[in-house]
């Protein structure tokens, strides 16, 4: 059973545009939802994370929107830049347990 | 910023050989993890380790795999008899607490089994 489903698989956005990546999860016991950014040959790096007691979290150009009732959360990248081109993974977990990752979204920001 | 360090960055081994992947977690972290990522696929959990014992493992982590914290700083993943399908990036991670505070991944070891 796929615990976390992520879409789209790939995304091309113009510089300055908004990139939106969506994830849906199965387990209502999950209590931590991070987004990771991964560049080729590197490990996943934590970008931003949210807990289910809030519906939105913003850090700079990155925003997580969280819909507990729909069991969905999304990453919005405002004013996307070519340097944002990377693979993005959503994940979900609950305290003391493994991370379940989405399948990844390859983002390309074209100048 | 504190880092999780993994060595080697790339290892090539013959099928059937044993390999040991090494990790140095962040010094004040107490929880340690191994994940793998087959090329082009998602990151998959292998095992978590706390207080010198495995706390959780996935179905991927069969008898071919073992983990060890041989001293106060290293955390190792051993694959006893490698198969072609073990070819992947292996990521070590560590966290300060059980609530994943400070959860940090290393840059990975690319294992190629030939």
């Amino acid at each position: 059973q796929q615990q976390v489903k992520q879409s789209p698989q790939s995304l091309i956005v113009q510089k300055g545009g908004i990139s939106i990546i969506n994830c849906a999860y199965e387990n209502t016991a999950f209590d931590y939802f991070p987004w990771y950014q991964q560049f080729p040959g590197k490990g996943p790096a934590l970008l931003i994370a949210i807990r289910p007691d809030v519906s939105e979290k913003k850090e700079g150009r990155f925003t997580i929107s969280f819909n507990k009732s729909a069991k969905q959360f999304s990453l919005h990248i405002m004013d996307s830049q070519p340097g944002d081109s990377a693979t993005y993974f959503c994940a979900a977990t609950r305290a003391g347990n493994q991370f379940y990752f989405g399948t990844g979204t390859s983002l390309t920001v074209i100048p | 910023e504190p880092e999780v360090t993994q060595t080697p960055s790339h290892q090539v081994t013959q099928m059937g050989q044993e390999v040991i992947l090494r990790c140095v977690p962040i010094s004040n972290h107490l929880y340690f993890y191994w994940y793998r990522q087959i090329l082009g696929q998602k990151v998959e959990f292998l095992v978590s380790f706390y207080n010198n014992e495995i706390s959780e493992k996935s179905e991927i982590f069969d008898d071919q795999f073992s983990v060890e914290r041989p001293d106060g700083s290293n955390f190792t993943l051993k694959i006893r008899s490698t198969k072609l399908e073990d070819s992947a990036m292996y990521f070590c991670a560590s966290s300060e607490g059980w609530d994943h505070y400070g959860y940090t991944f290393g840059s990975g070891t690319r294992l190629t089994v030939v």
Side-chain angles (χ1 to χ4, degrees):
Chain A
Q1 183 189 13
Q2 200 172 343
Q3 295 277 1
V4 178
K5 294 180 181 177
Q6 183 174 346
S7 63
Q9 188 175 5
S10 62
L11 183 61
I12 299 174
V13 173
Q14 290 271 356
K15 179 183 174 183
I18 302 174
S19 304
I20 301 174
I21 306 170
N22 301 298
C23 280
Y25 63 96
E26 294 290 326
N27 190 341
T28 55
F30 289 150
D31 60 7
Y32 181 68
F33 302 88
W35 283 92
Y36 283 86
Q37 181 188 56
Q38 185 179 30
F39 292 104
K42 298 292 186 183
L46 179 65
L47 195 60
I48 186 172
I50 197 167
R51 295 193 185 270
D53 52 345
V54 296
S55 59
E56 186 175 282
K57 183 174 180 180
K58 185 174 181 178
E59 289 183 3
R61 296 185 293 109
F62 302 94
T63 301
I64 299 179
S65 297
F66 186 81
N67 186 330
K68 190 173 181 179
S69 60
K71 296 191 288 184
Q72 294 175 346
F73 59 110
S74 59
L75 175 69
H76 295 232
I77 306 174
M78 313 300 286
D79 187 26
S80 299
Q81 299 296 312
D84 297 330
S85 297
T87 299
Y88 293 81
F89 291 94
C90 63
T93 186
R94 57 188 175 94
N97 283 268
Q98 62 170 288
F99 279 48
Y100 293 92
F101 283 84
T103 48
T105 296
S106 176
L107 171 66
T108 303
V109 181
I110 51 178
Chain B
E1 193 165 324
E3 289 184 341
V4 174
T5 305
Q6 289 187 243
T7 55
S9 57
H10 189 192
Q11 178 143 8
V12 181
T13 188
Q14 290 214 322
M15 191 169 55
Q17 294 295 306
E18 174 183 286
V19 294
I20 298 177
L21 309 183
R22 302 181 191 280
C23 170
V24 178
I26 293 173
S27 61
N28 65 330
H29 285 189
L30 301 176
Y31 295 78
F32 314 111
Y33 315 86
W34 282 101
Y35 288 79
R36 80 170 185 191
Q37 185 179 30
I38 294 171
L39 187 63
Q41 298 186 22
K42 67 179 177 181
V43 179
E44 298 175 292
F45 171 78
L46 291 177
V47 66
S48 59
F49 191 85
Y50 169 71
N51 200 26
N52 282 320
E53 59 183 33
I54 291 173
S55 46
E56 187 181 6
K57 61 181 181 179
S58 72
E59 62 273 10
I60 302 169
F61 194 86
D62 61 21
D63 292 343
Q64 293 284 74
F65 292 89
S66 61
V67 289
E68 194 177 32
R69 189 155 162 81
D71 52 44
S73 59
N74 290 283
F75 179 52
T76 61
L77 174 70
K78 182 193 289 187
I79 309 175
R80 286 192 185 82
S81 178
T82 49
K83 308 184 192 71
L84 294 176
E85 54 264 36
D86 293 327
S87 295
M89 281 289 284
Y90 288 81
F91 294 106
C92 174
S94 67
S95 67
E96 192 171 322
W98 72 293
D99 63 350
H100 307 108
Y101 185 75
Y103 207 107
T104 304
F105 283 85
S107 293
T109 293
R110 178 172 297 284
L111 176 65
T112 302
V113 182
V114 297

